[in-house]
Amino acid sequence: MIDVKATLQESEERMQMAAMFLEESLSRVRAGRANVAILDGVRVNSYGQMVPLNQVANVSCPDARTIAIKPWDKKVIKDIEKAIMDSDVGITPENNGEIIRLGIPQPTEERRRDLVKQCNKTGEKAKVEVRNVRSDVKDKLKKAIKDGLSEDNEKDAELELQKLHDKYIKKIDELLEEKNKEIMTV
């Protein structure tokens, strides 16, 4: 027999993961404002090991259009520069021997629209995942009726599932709206 509470708990976790994935993906989108999260995926070759950038340097935003990277060991400055050039960040680093600076360019109107479309696509993927979770759990509940779950319990669980679905779809919409507003703000 199916454990309804455990099934609903599992479905909420999966929906939450979809929302967290979206939030993480949106944080990496360059919206014309300096954000150290765009460098999260950059790995640097440091003493023969590939390590995240923030483990070999201090990464900060001194102003809205600049990211400053100050390596703890000046010997890795070339490796950091190479890692940024090889990554998909799309910004050319400027090196003065001690600090690497990344100037964040102001995106054009067309680029802003493309970024909004890209964010909306990612958001739609997250929504599809939430809907898939709902569909999977609904199927499990339908099969559980055959295994002895009462129809009333199934209907209550389905109602609870729909509430979870609505909650996470709303959260995804709010995340997208916030990011789109950030992107379109000049």
Side-chain angles (χ1 to χ4, degrees):
M1 178 117 155
I2 188 171
D3 183 358
V4 176
K5 280 192 173 174
T7 305
L8 288 174
Q9 184 75 31
E10 180 188 319
S11 66
E12 182 171 18
E13 286 174 14
R14 286 176 57 196
M15 289 178 187
Q16 192 172 13
M17 293 300 270
M20 286 169 50
F21 165 77
L22 175 67
E23 198 167 1
E24 194 176 304
S25 297
L26 292 180
S27 73
R28 290 201 176 108
V29 174
R30 274 195 296 140
R33 191 175 297 136
N35 181 358
V36 295
I38 64 172
L39 297 174
D40 283 352
V42 176
R43 299 241 179 252
V44 179
N45 186 357
S46 174
Y47 303 107
Q49 297 250 325
M50 294 304 278
V51 295
L53 176 62
N54 61 6
Q55 290 185 9
V56 294
N58 183 29
V59 183
S60 62
C61 293
D63 60 60
R65 294 263 174 251
T66 311
I67 296 176
I69 304 162
K70 185 168 175 44
W72 294 316
D73 182 0
K74 288 186 177 63
K75 294 176 191 160
V76 297
I77 203 161
K78 289 284 183 216
D79 293 327
I80 292 173
E81 237 179 346
K82 183 180 182 328
I84 293 169
M85 293 294 281
D86 293 346
S87 73
D88 62 352
V89 173
I91 302 172
T92 306
E94 300 165 17
N95 169 5
N96 70 3
E98 292 199 9
I99 295 176
I100 296 173
R101 294 190 192 285
L102 300 178
I104 309 294
Q106 182 74 23
T108 63
E109 186 69 27
E110 185 179 337
R111 177 71 179 135
R112 288 177 193 274
R113 290 187 205 287
D114 289 345
L115 287 172
V116 167
K117 283 180 188 172
Q118 178 185 338
C119 291
N120 288 339
K121 273 185 187 171
T122 309
E124 193 53 44
K125 284 180 186 172
K127 284 182 183 180
V128 166
E129 178 57 29
V130 169
R131 290 182 192 121
N132 286 344
V133 170
R134 179 183 61 176
S135 174
D136 292 349
V137 174
K138 268 188 175 182
D139 290 346
K140 278 184 186 176
L141 291 171
K142 295 277 186 233
K143 288 177 184 163
I145 289 177
K146 293 174 186 160
D147 295 339
L149 182 70
S150 74
E151 284 190 26
D152 286 346
N153 286 348
E154 188 265 345
K155 287 288 179 211
D156 291 344
E158 219 172 272
L159 205 68
E160 194 63 36
L161 181 65
Q162 187 61 41
K163 285 179 186 172
L164 286 174
H165 169 269
D166 295 345
K167 172 184 167 187
Y168 284 101
I169 292 291
K170 185 176 183 224
K171 182 176 182 171
I172 288 170
D173 284 337
E174 287 169 357
L175 287 170
L176 283 172
E177 189 178 320
E178 189 179 310
K179 188 63 176 185
N180 289 346
K181 196 157 72 171
E182 179 187 331
I183 290 171
M184 294 311 285
T185 304
V186 180

